[in-house]
Amino acid sequence: MIKIFKTFGGYNEIQKTEKGCWINVIKPTTEEIQRLSDEFQLPQDIINDILDQDERPRVEFEDDWSLIIMRIPVQNTNNGVPFQTIPLGVFMSRDITLTLCLQNNEILPAEKSSPFREQYREITDSINFILRLFLHSGNVYLKYLKQINQQTSLIEQDLEKSIKNRELNKLLKMEKCLVYFITSIKANEIVLAKLRNSKKINTEINQDLLEDAIIENKQALEMSQIYSDIQSGMMDAFASVISNNLNVVMKQLTLISIILMIPTLIASIFGMNVPIPFENSVWALPTIISVSLFLSILGVILFRKRHWF
């Protein structure tokens, strides 16, 4: 999907490109990819790099254009991992600024008006527009981290009584999300450092906006590392909890087997084909049943006193 805006801010969508316009491309089709190369003069290798799921963030400056690739968080439902990161590319030339991403996201949504656009309505240059993207990306990272923490808390409650690996698998997927986040945020941090130290664009950068983006990025990184450390310890602890829960279940089953063995033993003795007491008594069956129940109840009482039940 390709949308062209007259300026960086607002919702002034236009049909044809003009100087200074912003082109937002989300999940392009084969025809749209060809259009990016032919009409907007976007190099084919850059398109392939941005649409590569595993592309690393980087900065490239040429005479006629500049490219910045960052990694942003997105929701994911394909493989059970709730969140992952994907590359977002910003291609800047003398006439246009083009953003390209391989799926819809909360940073630059393609199908609805973004409240974020109101924040940079007054921005008129590409570099500060990119800093806004980094700043908003940090906010989205923090938002998803809170959701991961909430989901982890729900998994903890199930793990306390679980004897299966299903909850551990859910916790492992949460850990995988945090690994994605930490790796991507660290790479974004390197890009921000390069932008701050770049002599080519240093005079164009809003220093306050740059500092805000760096602070937000560091906060997201610290939160990701804290949650990752907590989950690593939790997984080890809950693996022991699951093993202990299984031992408790096996212990209870063993005690039940012992209790049931008492009446079985008595019935086996009186079922032998040899002379036995009470064989001619009319009270033999009730007596045997009563003795069996009494011994079974006595066994239960003894086990409870030892806190085995």
Side-chain angles (χ1 to χ4, degrees):
M1 180 180 296
I2 298 178
K3 286 193 173 185
I4 306 173
F5 298 91
K6 190 172 183 179
T7 60
F8 293 124
Y11 313 109
N12 300 323
E13 186 174 351
I14 57 179
Q15 299 301 318
K16 294 183 179 180
T17 59
E18 59 182 46
K19 189 172 183 179
C21 68
W22 164 39
I23 305 167
N24 186 28
V25 185
I26 303 292
K27 198 177 181 179
T29 62
T30 304
E31 293 77 12
E32 289 173 338
I33 292 175
Q34 189 62 41
R35 181 186 175 189
L36 293 177
S37 179
D38 297 340
E39 181 178 347
F40 303 133
Q41 304 301 315
L42 186 64
Q44 188 66 41
D45 58 338
I46 291 180
I47 298 176
N48 296 334
D49 288 345
I50 299 175
L51 296 180
D52 182 5
Q53 176 74 35
D54 301 318
E55 185 65 23
R56 304 294 302 154
R58 68 175 191 272
V59 179
E60 292 185 14
F61 294 115
E62 299 290 342
D63 294 336
D64 298 330
W65 55 266
S66 300
L67 172 68
I68 295 177
I69 299 179
M70 57 187 293
R71 291 195 70 87
I72 61 173
V74 293
Q75 295 183 349
N76 178 47
T77 57
N78 294 333
N79 55 1
V81 179
F83 305 102
Q84 64 176 2
T85 61
I86 58 174
L88 169 65
V90 183
F91 177 82
M92 299 171 291
S93 67
R94 296 176 180 176
D95 297 329
I96 64 170
T97 295
L98 186 145
T99 55
L100 174 60
C101 190
L102 52 84
Q103 86 176 58
N104 201 8
N105 56 81
E106 292 192 29
I107 310 300
L108 292 173
E111 299 176 354
K112 58 183 178 180
S113 299
S114 171
F116 169 58
R117 289 175 187 161
E118 294 291 340
Q119 301 177 14
Y120 56 85
R121 182 182 291 275
E122 298 178 357
I123 294 178
T124 57
D125 62 276
S126 301
I127 297 301
N128 293 324
F129 167 73
I130 292 170
L131 295 180
R132 284 287 185 181
L133 293 182
F134 275 105
L135 181 60
H136 187 53
S137 175
N139 292 330
V140 176
Y141 272 115
L142 291 172
K143 173 185 173 182
Y144 288 165
L145 284 169
K146 291 180 181 178
Q147 295 182 21
I148 290 175
N149 191 39
Q150 293 172 355
Q151 294 183 32
T152 302
S153 299
L154 296 177
I155 296 173
E156 287 179 31
Q157 299 175 6
D158 296 334
L159 270 170
E160 292 177 358
K161 300 179 180 179
S162 177
I163 59 174
K164 299 181 180 179
N165 292 329
R166 180 176 58 187
E167 285 74 18
L168 274 182
N169 290 334
K170 292 180 181 178
L171 202 60
L172 181 61
K173 291 175 182 177
M174 295 295 106
E175 177 68 18
K176 188 180 292 185
C177 292
L178 293 174
V179 172
Y180 290 154
F181 280 14
I182 291 173
T183 305
S184 299
I185 295 173
K186 284 183 177 179
N188 287 347
E189 189 175 35
I190 295 174
V191 172
L192 285 171
K194 289 183 177 179
L195 290 178
R196 180 172 56 184
N197 299 327
S198 175
K199 296 181 180 179
K200 182 175 182 180
I201 61 174
N202 191 42
T203 56
E204 305 174 14
I205 289 183
N206 184 327
Q207 295 297 328
D208 293 336
L209 189 58
L210 176 60
E211 290 300 323
D212 289 343
I214 292 175
I215 292 173
E216 200 72 19
N217 196 76
K218 286 184 177 180
Q219 183 179 355
L221 178 59
E222 290 175 358
M223 294 300 296
S224 299
Q225 290 174 334
I226 291 173
Y227 288 160
S228 180
D229 292 341
I230 293 174
Q231 287 207 11
S232 297
M234 281 174 46
M235 290 188 66
D236 295 337
F238 280 118
S240 300
V241 169
I242 289 178
S243 177
N244 183 65
N245 290 343
L246 182 59
N247 291 337
V248 170
V249 172
M250 295 302 297
K251 176 183 175 181
Q252 293 175 345
L253 291 176
T254 302
L255 295 175
I256 292 173
S257 299
I258 293 174
I259 297 300
L260 294 177
M261 186 179 67
I262 296 174
T264 302
L265 176 61
I266 296 175
S268 300
I269 293 174
F270 282 89
M272 292 188 294
N273 190 21
V274 294
I276 55 176
F278 309 113
E279 62 180 343
N280 297 319
S281 175
V282 295
W283 298 99
L285 181 60
T287 301
I288 294 171
I289 293 176
S290 299
V291 172
S292 299
L293 290 175
F294 173 77
L295 293 176
S296 297
I297 294 172
L298 181 62
V300 172
I301 293 173
L302 291 175
F303 289 150
R304 287 184 66 87
K305 283 187 175 181
R306 292 178 175 271
H307 302 288
W308 291 355
F309 264 137

